[in-house]
């Protein structure tokens, strides 16, 4: 198989170990090269390109977790972190101390690989067996990468302002020398949705590996996108489709699946975990990684919110000298789970049903998952909460279920801050200095890395 020079260097960037704390960050635009190189040629070639597990299923961003109200760093832990992580933790106006961002670079590198595949597939007969599924995989990877980017580098979605708000450069050309301006936020969401909808039409219903996207994964991604937009009819629709044929929630009482004797309670690489729809991971930020004793802690306020009969309290956390460290990752290792699993879909459905006025269905999905999380026979089924109280319960349990998964808590803070009665600020105190982040502040949006500004001359975010 022949790769372009561009593709080779992309794969090197994606596969080379990068730890932000060590200060090494690659700029994806450094791969610029001349045209005229030979692209992958066959369907097998393109599947191999998309099978690049290290690049396309790892190094998703968890920067949002480092900024969220789930994380606590004591002063010693704070000082032990890289300058970048300290900047994130205190919502500094300057974030990327080196001028480049691995979060931006790795996600756009995934988009570039997807674009290489999509461009090359145009030269192959669409009737060939496997063509549709491979194209669907590339579209899914591109949509998912933009999903991560939009939650870091754009304002939270507001339908009334989305046409004027800045979105992302929507790259579709595999030639990295082509400069793109920032689309609007609405155009960015439309682009993500269009890619995911096409992926739904093309992908196989089942995938032989959870690292390879399926139709169910594309449905789940659409549910996540529409939840961000506050379009609960669509998030409900796609959440239900994602759930079809797969209701295998883990029972945390099952010691064959959840082992408290293991440092990492769940199966390695998610193998054998029936909840995983699509597997992805990240190890970019030590402060939020499940890596005791070196990572930060969960806030005591969140830890105390778990009932003593709630198994998540012992499954998710480890006591290290009085601090509660997160270890409950679905990767079963020292990496954060950044994929999509059934537990998240259950909470999307519970919230969507509640917001659309069907509290009976909302309680059904909430109770179904919590019965699997509490010690057998101890969970009291909720059947009395009023609409507002039920929504609060659903949101609180969602936070407790997904505390260090991808950037979910950060995404929730951003979208819920748009609701006046759900706004909440975050405060940290370090060495006697108080740092605060108020609802809807500009600092909920990360700055575009300076090197990208210099190369592309795109509009910078206001901090």
């Amino acid at each position: 198989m022949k790769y372009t020079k561009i593709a080779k260097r992309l794969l090197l960037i994606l596969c080379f170990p990068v730890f932000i704390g060590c200060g090494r960050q690659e700029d994806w635009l450094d791969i610029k090269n001349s045209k005229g190189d030979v692209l992958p040629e066959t369907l097998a070639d393109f599947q191999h390109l998309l099978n690049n597990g290290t690049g396309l299923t790892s190094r998703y961003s968890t920067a949002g977790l480092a900024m969220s109200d789930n994380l606590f760093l004591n002063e010693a832990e704070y000082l032990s972190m890289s300058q970048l992580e300290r900047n994130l933790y205190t919502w500094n106006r300057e974030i990327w101390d080196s001028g480049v961002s691995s979060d931006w670079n790795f996600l756009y590198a995934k988009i570039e690989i997807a674009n290489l595949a999509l461009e090359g597939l145009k030269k192959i007969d669409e009737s060939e067996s496997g063509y549709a599924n491979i194209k669907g995989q590339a579209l899914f990877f591109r949509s998912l990468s933009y999903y991560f980017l939009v939650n870091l580098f754009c304002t939270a979605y507001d339908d009334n302002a989305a046409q004027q708000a800045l979105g992302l450069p929507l790259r579709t050309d595999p030639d990295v020398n082509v400069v793109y301006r920032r689309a609007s936020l609405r155009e960015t969401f439309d682009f993500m949705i269009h890619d995911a909808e096409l992926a739904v039409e093309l992908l196989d219903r089942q995938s032989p590996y959870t690292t390879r996207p399926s139709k169910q994964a594309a449905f789940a991604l659409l549910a996540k996108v529409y939840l961000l937009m506050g379009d609960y009819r669509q998030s409900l629709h796609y959440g239900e489709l994602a759930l079809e044929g797969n209701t295998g929630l883990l029972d945390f009482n099952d010691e064959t699946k959840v082992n408290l004797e293991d440092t990492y309670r769940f199966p390695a690489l998610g193998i054998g975990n029936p909840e995983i729809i699509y597997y992805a991971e990240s190890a970019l930020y030590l402060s939020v990684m499940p890596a005791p004793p070196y990572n930060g802690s969960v806030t005591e306020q969140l830890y105390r919110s778990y009932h003593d009969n709630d198994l998540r309290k012992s499954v998710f956390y480890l006591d290290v000298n009085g601090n509660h460290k997160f270890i409950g990752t679905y990767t079963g290792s020292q990496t954060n789970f950044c994929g999509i699993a059934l537990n998240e879909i259950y909470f999307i459905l519970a919230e969507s049903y509640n917001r659309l006025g069907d509290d009976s269905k909302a309680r059904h999905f909430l109770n179904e998952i919590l019965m699997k999380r509490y010690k057998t026979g101890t969970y009291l089924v909720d059947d009395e909460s009023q609409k507002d109280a039920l929504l609060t319960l659903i949101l609180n349990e969602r936070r407790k279920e997904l505390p260090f998964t991808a950037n979910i808590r950060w995404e929730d803070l951003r979208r819920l801050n748009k609701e006046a009665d759900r706004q909440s600020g975050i405060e940290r105190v370090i060495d006697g200095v108080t740092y605060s982040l108020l609802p809807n502040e500009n600092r909920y949006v990360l700055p575009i890395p300076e090197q990208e500004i210099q190369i592309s001359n795109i509009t910078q975010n206001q901090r």
Side-chain angles (χ1 to χ4, degrees):
M1 172 180 176
K2 297 179 180 178
Y3 288 97
T4 61
K5 294 176 184 176
I6 293 174
K8 283 182 179 178
R9 296 190 68 184
L10 269 170
L11 292 173
L12 284 172
I13 287 174
L14 284 167
C15 293
F16 193 82
V18 175
F19 296 92
I20 290 185
C22 298
R24 182 181 176 88
Q25 298 183 50
E26 303 288 349
D27 186 347
W28 81 279
L29 284 172
D30 284 346
I31 65 173
K32 287 186 176 182
N33 232 310
S34 61
K35 290 186 177 181
D37 298 314
V38 180
L39 285 166
E41 297 172 339
T42 67
L43 284 181
D45 291 344
F46 289 111
Q47 186 62 74
H48 286 312
L49 182 65
L50 296 175
N51 281 350
N52 171 35
T54 302
L56 291 176
T57 62
S58 71
R59 302 203 174 90
Y60 284 89
S61 175
T62 50
L65 291 183
M67 296 184 285
S68 80
D69 58 351
N70 286 352
L71 177 65
F72 169 73
L73 298 176
N74 61 36
E75 290 182 24
E77 290 167 340
Y78 173 79
L79 292 174
S80 72
M81 298 298 166
S82 68
Q83 182 60 53
L84 172 54
E85 291 197 63
R86 294 199 295 270
N87 289 345
L88 289 168
Y89 186 69
T90 56
W91 318 290
N92 200 334
R93 295 197 180 277
E94 301 297 329
I95 296 292
W96 317 113
D97 53 309
S98 65
V100 295
S101 162
S102 287
D103 301 81
W104 178 278
N105 298 342
F106 283 132
L107 289 165
Y108 267 107
K110 298 176 200 298
I111 290 166
E112 184 59 23
I113 283 184
N115 286 339
L116 282 166
L118 292 168
E119 183 67 22
L121 285 169
K122 293 177 182 178
K123 301 176 183 178
I124 295 179
D125 187 343
E126 295 184 17
S127 65
E128 282 196 38
S129 177
Y131 178 97
N133 187 50
I134 292 170
K135 183 176 180 180
Q137 291 174 50
L139 289 164
F140 174 88
F141 284 126
R142 189 166 70 179
S143 183
L144 182 63
S145 298
Y146 278 121
Y147 178 91
F148 273 83
L149 285 162
V150 81
N151 280 294
L152 295 172
F153 296 99
C154 300
T155 57
Y157 188 87
D158 181 336
D159 198 54
N160 295 321
Q163 192 57 53
Q164 290 74 43
L166 286 171
L168 296 165
L170 299 177
R171 300 194 62 86
T172 57
D173 195 316
D175 183 353
V176 296
N177 296 290
V178 177
V179 174
Y180 286 77
R181 302 302 178 196
R182 295 181 70 173
S184 72
L185 188 60
R186 187 183 302 280
E187 289 168 335
T188 301
F189 271 79
D190 287 346
F191 190 88
M192 282 191 293
I193 290 169
H194 183 257
D195 270 3
E197 286 178 339
L198 283 178
V200 161
E201 296 175 10
L202 297 168
L203 285 166
D204 293 341
R205 180 72 197 179
Q206 300 271 328
S207 174
Y209 317 103
T210 56
T211 52
R212 186 180 295 178
S214 62
K215 194 181 295 290
Q216 186 188 23
F219 283 139
L221 177 56
L222 282 164
K224 286 166 64 70
V225 172
Y226 279 115
L227 185 73
L228 287 182
M229 299 174 73
D231 188 338
Y232 302 113
R233 292 193 184 280
Q234 291 287 63
S235 61
L236 174 60
H237 171 68
Y238 285 110
E240 291 279 19
L241 288 172
L243 202 61
E244 278 185 6
N246 193 341
T247 56
L249 284 173
L250 272 175
D251 186 344
F252 281 19
N253 291 280
D254 184 351
E255 295 180 0
T256 66
K257 298 292 185 183
V258 185
N259 190 349
L260 290 175
E261 299 302 315
D262 290 343
T263 300
Y264 297 103
R265 319 306 203 186
F266 300 100
L269 300 175
I271 297 171
N273 184 338
E275 290 191 12
I276 293 179
I277 298 171
Y278 170 70
Y279 181 92
E281 62 182 29
S282 180
L284 287 183
Y285 292 102
L286 179 61
S287 59
V288 297
M289 284 169 55
Y294 307 107
N295 55 328
S297 305
V298 63
T299 60
E300 278 302 300
Q301 175 269 332
L302 178 55
Y303 181 77
R304 288 196 301 269
S305 71
Y306 293 90
H307 192 279
D308 286 344
N309 289 327
D310 187 340
L311 291 169
R312 293 174 298 185
K313 195 170 188 176
S314 55
V315 169
F316 285 174
Y317 305 107
L318 183 69
D319 188 312
V320 179
N321 298 323
N323 294 312
H324 299 103
K325 307 283 187 175
F326 177 72
I327 53 171
T329 172
Y330 274 12
T331 68
S333 68
Q334 288 186 326
T335 57
N336 295 90
F337 180 69
C338 290
I340 311 173
L342 282 176
N343 56 350
E344 182 182 359
I345 301 304
Y346 268 69
F347 279 101
I348 289 175
L349 290 171
E351 180 178 347
S352 299
Y353 271 119
N354 172 265
R355 289 187 183 269
L356 293 172
D358 192 337
D359 286 356
S360 176
K361 286 283 185 65
R363 288 191 188 94
H364 165 75
F365 283 102
L366 177 64
N367 291 330
E368 280 290 303
I369 193 166
L370 292 184
M371 282 190 291
K372 304 286 189 181
R373 299 319 192 227
Y374 273 62
K375 293 177 183 177
T376 301
T378 65
Y379 175 66
L380 299 178
V381 174
D382 176 80
D383 59 1
E384 298 179 354
S385 296
Q386 298 301 311
K387 183 178 179 64
D388 289 343
L390 180 58
L391 179 57
T392 298
L393 178 61
I394 290 168
L395 294 173
N396 287 343
E397 292 298 334
R398 173 179 162 94
R399 181 185 180 189
K400 289 153 68 175
E401 178 71 19
L402 305 160
F404 290 94
T405 293
N407 287 317
I408 288 176
R409 179 54 185 167
W410 183 246
E411 295 163 15
D412 284 351
L413 287 168
R414 285 161 44 93
R415 69 184 179 93
L416 295 174
N417 274 337
K418 294 294 181 183
E419 303 174 25
D421 59 342
R422 298 200 179 275
Q423 293 180 349
S424 61
I426 314 175
E427 189 173 281
R428 331 256 207 216
V429 179
I430 302 168
D431 194 22
V433 178
T434 299
Y435 299 86
S436 300
L437 183 66
L438 301 177
N440 300 312
E441 265 199 76
N442 287 340
R443 288 179 296 157
Y444 270 98
V445 183
L446 290 175
I448 306 294
E450 187 57 34
Q451 190 171 5
E452 180 68 25
I453 298 293
Q454 293 174 3
I455 291 171
S456 304
N457 197 31
I458 58 176
T459 305
Q460 179 61 280
N461 292 323
Q462 297 297 314
R463 293 277 289 177

